[in-house]
Amino acid sequence: MPLSSEEFYRIQKLPPYVFAVVNEMKAKLRAAQYDVIDFGMGNPDGATPKPIVNKLIEAARDKRNHRYSMSRGLPNLRLEICKRYKRNYGVDLDPETEAISTIGAKDALAHLLFAVIGPGDVVASPNPAYPIHQYGVIMAEGHACTIPMPTPDEFLSRLHDLYKRGAEKKPKMILISFPHNPTTTCVDLDFMKSIVALARKHGTMVVHDFAYADIAFDGYVPPSILQVEGAKEVAVEIFSMSKSYNMAGWRMGFTLGNPKMIKALARIKSYLDYGIFQPLQIAGIIALRECEAETQKICATYKKRRDVLVSGLNKTGWTVEPPKGSMFLWAQIPEQFRALGSLEFCKKLLQEALVAVSPGIGFGPYGEGHVRFSFIENEHRTRQAVRSIKQFLREK
Ligand SMILES: Cc1ncc(COP(=O)(O)O)c(C=O)c1O
């Protein structure tokens, strides 16, 4: 009898990505020579800054770098991320015990959850969210307790409520990420202080996914949770090179903070990987040490695109608010289409306006009613998309 993937214990719990439906349609339209303007995936379109690429090439030529590397990351790479945290946030970290290199933030999330969450452990996190935040918990056999987040204060208040409801339901971990994907919600240091205080009071672990640490606009500076006094007692922060340095394909990230959680992650990773290709790690040192100005340029590019998209959509009658951080616009579906639901609306927009966006439902049930635009098309193509959307809305 042929094997069915539905029979696999873990696979049964992982529904196919909702985004695959839109991706498939996109591929068909492209194959038929249609020019689709694609705001779908948060996949940076810009080049990795030159000094980083040059260092990679130089390091790749040295045969000493062709061997297995270190699962925890090169000591100098860990030292460099710690120096960046000291420079940018005034946070002291020990590169030996409080910093580990990971294969991007996704690896960090999935394997950290695998390391520290056991069957039935409750992990509280906002919904909608980046899918691994929920499914990483499910893969680790924990209980993903998703909380709506109309505002950060409302999220905090619902989180407090969880602790009031009997001991067995108490979260073992709070998993957050700000600037938030997909809602673009941003928080201040006081919010982080409240999270840390709550976690310390109840002995709860905190994971802060800081993937958009450097993508912020109009003077807003996203806080690191590690800036909060005592945060390291309960919290780790996951930093990603993907957005800050246009290095998404390189698969570089870090987990920083609580030594106990980092030790657990190091143990799991020692069984699973040997770290990324050493020349990538060496080039990563250059990124962290020398490329602050490049990060600012990347952020400025997203800001220009944000402004074109936001002002353009508002002129078409599709009312949207500019985000303060992240590389996304989280837009409520125009009134006349809301009943369709986000997936059907995305299909219609793609079919009729040749504009691809992500359906809110793909980020969880509370994402319904919205779509997400990523700022990954240049200003010219963003304007072109706005014109198509204007036409699309006019025809309805
Ligand atoms: C919130 C969030 N975390 C993590 C990631 C993945 O980061 P990385 O490329 O470092 O795995 C993304 C990517 O879109 C994201 O939006």
Side-chain angles (χ1 to χ4, degrees), residues 209-222:
D209 173 356
F210 206 19
Y212 300 96
D214 297 301
I215 315 299
F217 317 113
D218 312 327
Y220 169 66
V221 181

Side-chain angles (χ1 to χ4, degrees), residues 107-120:
D107 164 57
L109 283 159
H111 288 138
L112 181 63
L113 289 164
F114 199 54
V116 303
I117 292 301

